[in-house]
Amino acid sequence: MDPLLYLGGLVVLFLLWIKVKGLDYVIVHQRWIFVCLFLLPLSVIFDVYYYVRAWLIFKMCSAPKLHDQRVKDIQRQVREWRKEGSKKHMCTGRPGWLTVSLRVGKYKKTHKNIMINMMDILEVDTQRQVVRVEPLANMGQVTALLNSIGWTLPVLPELDDLTVGGLVMGTGIESSSHIYGLFQHICVAFELVLADGSLVRCTEEENSDLFHAVPWSCGTLGFLVAAEIKIVPAKAWVKLRYEPVRGLENICKRFTEASENKQNTFVEGLQYTLDSAVIMTGTMTDHAEPDKINRIGLHFKPWFFKHVESYLKQDCTGVEYIPLRQYYHRHTRSIFWELQDIIPFGNNPIFRWLFGWMVPPKISLLKLTQGETIRRLYEQHHVVQDMLIPMKHLQAAITRFHQDIDVYPLWLCPFLLQPGRGMVHPKGQEEELYVDIGAYGEPKVKHFEAKASTRQLEKFVREVHGFQMLYADVYMDREEFWEMFDGQLYHRLRNELGCKDAFPEVYDKICKSARH
């Protein structure tokens, strides 16, 4: 009983401390306490429930039958909205805190919420080499199933909680994108419920305009109810080469060369200062050298970005063999490098051994419990942005990031941007190599001001014909937004499909200048 009494005494003292200091103070200044004691255990329960549920439904083959019922229910809700006079715009009923985006969408409170409870993998067709999934199936769920039967997605974005719907309606990228393009480019079909309640399937051949307009539309053309995505055979390991590079010009030159080499299945760069980076290139293989295996996904292993940095500090190259699924989710445990700001000692070996199996906390739970105070602090003193830049402007872009925000590490991920007629495509009619520059962290520049600094970056991106990922805070006005994105097809389809009364325009849904 003595240990229990001791534990009970500690709990009482802890609760008294919270009462004296106030819950807001603890959540803002000692957030790691709240995260470690409450959010990490809750995150584990969430994961176990969803993985067991997905496995059971797939094994019992009940997903397709349930899917048809859910689609009919969505159609019913849309038709009821029309009968009620179409007084408000519609949006999905999924709570805003459940999304991976750090943006808080206030439109959920004023729009008609259409409940869409669709989170299953419907079918894996190995003959056609496609997987058919519902919009709320996430990347952790998809890789767990596909890798277990020897398949994978050609482009599999990093974080477990990213959903198919978010990646289709927004965008997604991975270190294989220099070969396959963005997530939208591996999709072969979309199924949507439109503003009139009808169900439509669109592909490159069938309803082609809609197929091209859906990516980046953020749910403003219809409700996605299923997507068919290409799959490719998977191998057991990724043979990953680490190469530290110094000097900005050398970094850009070496990164471009690696990205243009199609023999590299994976290409990624982590830039730690203006003139130092580690460039990683990888290939899939079925065989691994036993003494070079690194199972980076094990809970006690160092966070991946810290492991990569060790090659820079030691100024040496290296080769490792990493299990495929662990490679795909290499940045998940530390949420890239964001977790170091939430749990400062999270990469400590003792913490990793004891509690690393519970990491990371769910981003959705972090959002739900952050409160208005933390949200405002993050907005003013924290940057989370992904800018898509033509590779030929990489050096100028990194210099601009350094001058405007000075956030490191920077994530460098190359991708092939294919010509098209949707919102995002190259300036000409030929495919072009781009790079995603991801900045996540606290800016080190003096007198940082979130709106002014981000607008400077946005202006540079527009000037080089680049694009800004729309999950982040966007400060452009409407004219600037449609200067960056091609809205010709998008606006035509909104008129033709009766979307103006049904859904907000994408700018009004995601840009800070339009939200109240």
Side-chain angles (χ1 to χ4, degrees):
M1 287 296 291
D2 287 345
L4 289 176
L5 286 171
Y6 178 69
L7 183 62
L10 286 177
V11 170
V12 170
L13 287 173
F14 176 65
L15 292 174
L16 285 172
W17 179 67
I18 290 178
K19 187 174 181 180
V20 171
K21 288 289 188 179
L23 187 59
D24 279 349
Y25 174 88
V26 175
I27 289 178
V28 172
H29 297 284
Q30 305 292 338
R31 198 178 185 199
W32 64 268
I33 297 175
F34 185 73
V35 170
C36 292
L37 290 180
F38 299 104
L39 296 195
L40 288 181
L42 276 175
S43 298
V44 172
I45 294 169
F46 261 58
D47 282 338
V48 170
Y49 168 75
Y50 281 115
Y51 279 123
V52 170
R53 179 191 178 283
W55 184 84
L56 285 174
I57 285 177
F58 187 80
K59 289 297 181 183
M60 293 168 64
C61 299
S62 59
K65 183 178 179 182
L66 293 171
H67 173 76
D68 292 340
Q69 294 172 4
R70 290 174 187 144
V71 171
K72 288 175 182 175
D73 184 61
I74 294 165
Q75 291 178 290
R76 176 191 59 77
Q77 292 179 70
V78 173
R79 286 167 182 152
E80 283 181 1
W81 166 82
R82 290 175 65 84
K83 284 180 183 177
E84 292 167 359
S86 312
K87 295 173 183 176
K88 299 188 290 187
H89 284 143
M90 292 183 289
C91 67
T92 64
R94 189 185 188 209
W97 61 269
L98 273 174
T99 64
V100 172
S101 167
L102 295 179
R103 186 178 61 244
V104 178
K106 297 180 180 178
Y107 59 87
K108 297 277 186 181
K109 297 177 182 177
T110 58
H111 290 15
K112 168 72 173 177
N113 281 216
I114 303 297
M115 301 310 296
I116 299 178
N117 182 28
M118 310 182 84
M119 58 185 71
D120 295 322
I121 298 169
L122 300 173
E123 180 186 8
V124 179
D125 188 335
T126 55
Q127 287 191 329
R128 291 177 55 223
Q129 295 196 4
V130 296
V131 59
R132 183 166 172 252
V133 295
E134 291 182 327
L136 296 183
N138 66 40
M139 290 299 99
Q141 187 181 339
V142 171
T143 51
L145 177 68
L146 288 181
N147 290 175
S148 70
I149 57 176
W151 293 85
T152 188
L153 299 182
V155 176
L156 208 151
E158 308 282 340
L159 301 179
D160 283 19
D161 290 342
L162 292 169
T163 63
V164 169
L167 295 168
V168 167
M169 292 296 186
T171 194
I173 192 170
E174 175 48 71
S175 54
S176 56
S177 288
H178 66 295
I179 296 174
Y180 297 103
L182 297 171
F183 190 84
Q184 69 202 59
H185 300 128
I186 65 166
C187 296
V188 296
F190 303 130
E191 296 170 37
L192 297 102
V193 172
L194 301 181
D196 61 357
S198 62
L199 176 65
V200 170
R201 173 183 165 87
C202 55
T203 67
E204 189 68 66
E205 293 78 30
E206 179 185 6
N207 296 309
S208 177
D209 281 349
L210 184 58
F211 179 72
H212 281 270
V214 164
W216 295 79
S217 66
C218 299
T220 59
L221 292 172
F223 294 111
L224 183 72
V225 294
E228 288 185 14
I229 310 165
K230 294 176 187 175
I231 58 175
V232 293
K235 296 184 179 180
W237 305 92
V238 172
K239 181 180 181 181
L240 194 64
R241 302 164 188 83
Y242 302 86
E243 180 187 351
V245 185
R246 299 187 186 277
L248 182 56
E249 189 174 340
N250 286 337
I251 292 168
C252 297
K253 181 175 181 291
R254 183 68 193 95
F255 186 74
T256 302
E257 291 171 351
S259 304
E260 290 174 343
N261 183 356
K262 299 297 191 263
Q263 298 301 311
N264 295 323
T265 310
F266 305 104
V267 178
E268 175 184 28
L270 295 187
Q271 184 139 357
Y272 291 91
T273 67
L274 181 61
D275 59 0
S276 65
V278 177
I279 294 171
M280 289 159 280
T281 55
T283 53
M284 277 198 279
T285 177
D286 281 322
H287 306 285
E289 300 174 48
D291 60 331
K292 294 182 179 178
I293 289 175
N294 185 2
R295 300 181 186 276
I296 60 172
L298 296 176
H299 71 274
F300 54 83
K301 290 284 189 174
W303 289 344
F304 184 69
F305 78 98
K306 287 293 188 184
H307 172 64
V308 174
E309 191 178 17
S310 69
Y311 287 94
L312 189 64
K313 289 179 176 178
Q314 297 167 24
D315 200 24
C316 66
T317 59
V319 174
E320 291 182 331
Y321 292 83
I322 300 172
L324 178 64
R325 188 161 185 261
Q326 293 184 18
Y327 172 79
Y328 279 139
H329 300 294
R330 61 199 178 280
H331 293 299
T332 294
R333 285 195 301 132
S334 56
I335 318 179
F336 282 85
W337 30 93
E338 290 278 60
L339 198 57
Q340 65 184 350
D341 293 331
I342 299 169
I343 308 177
F345 48 83
N347 195 46
N348 181 282
I350 297 174
F351 180 87
R352 294 200 311 263
W353 273 98
L354 294 177
F355 305 108
W357 58 276
M358 291 194 288
V359 166
K362 305 289 278 187
I363 295 175
S364 54
L365 293 179
L366 288 171
K367 284 175 63 178
L368 180 64
T369 58
Q370 69 181 357
E372 191 64 22
T373 305
I374 286 183
R375 191 189 68 76
R376 284 198 305 270
L377 282 171
Y378 257 64
E379 190 173 292
Q380 290 304 318
H381 305 289
H382 201 84
V383 168
V384 179
Q385 291 286 347
D386 281 86
M387 299 294 188
L388 312 182
I389 309 289
M391 185 68 80
K392 60 191 175 188
H393 297 296
L394 175 59
Q395 186 168 340
I398 292 174
T399 303
R400 192 59 184 261
F401 269 72
H402 182 78
Q403 292 171 349
D404 289 346
I405 56 175
D406 192 11
V407 169
Y408 292 99
L410 289 175
W411 188 54
L412 306 179
C413 185
F415 69 97
L416 196 64
L417 188 57
Q418 300 172 11
R421 52 189 188 275
M423 285 176 59
V424 171
H425 54 75
K427 201 167 188 177
Q429 294 302 310
E430 296 182 359
E431 61 186 26
E432 185 176 351
L433 195 61
Y434 271 61
V435 58
D436 174 7
I437 303 178
Y440 325 117
E442 186 177 341
K444 299 298 190 294
V445 292
K446 294 180 180 179
H447 313 300
F448 171 81
E449 202 283 310
K451 181 176 180 179
S453 299
T454 305
R455 280 186 57 77
Q456 285 180 326
L457 275 179
E458 290 170 345
K459 182 174 183 291
F460 170 81
V461 173
R462 290 196 305 275
E463 288 171 349
V464 298
H465 195 70
F467 306 94
Q468 181 177 15
M469 282 199 185
L470 301 182
Y471 76 88
D473 285 334
V474 179
Y475 291 91
M476 292 180 283
D477 63 32
R478 194 179 303 272
E479 185 179 347
E480 292 166 339
F481 182 85
W482 290 117
E483 179 188 337
M484 179 180 286
F485 296 98
D486 183 352
Q488 187 174 348
L489 177 63
Y490 171 79
H491 289 302
R492 176 166 67 78
L493 282 179
R494 276 180 60 82
N495 285 327
E496 291 178 4
L497 299 175
C499 296
K500 288 194 170 182
D501 292 331
F503 308 104
E505 184 186 303
V506 62
Y507 176 82
D508 295 311
K509 190 171 182 180
I510 60 95
C511 285
K512 293 186 76 67
S513 302
R515 286 179 283 141
H516 305 289

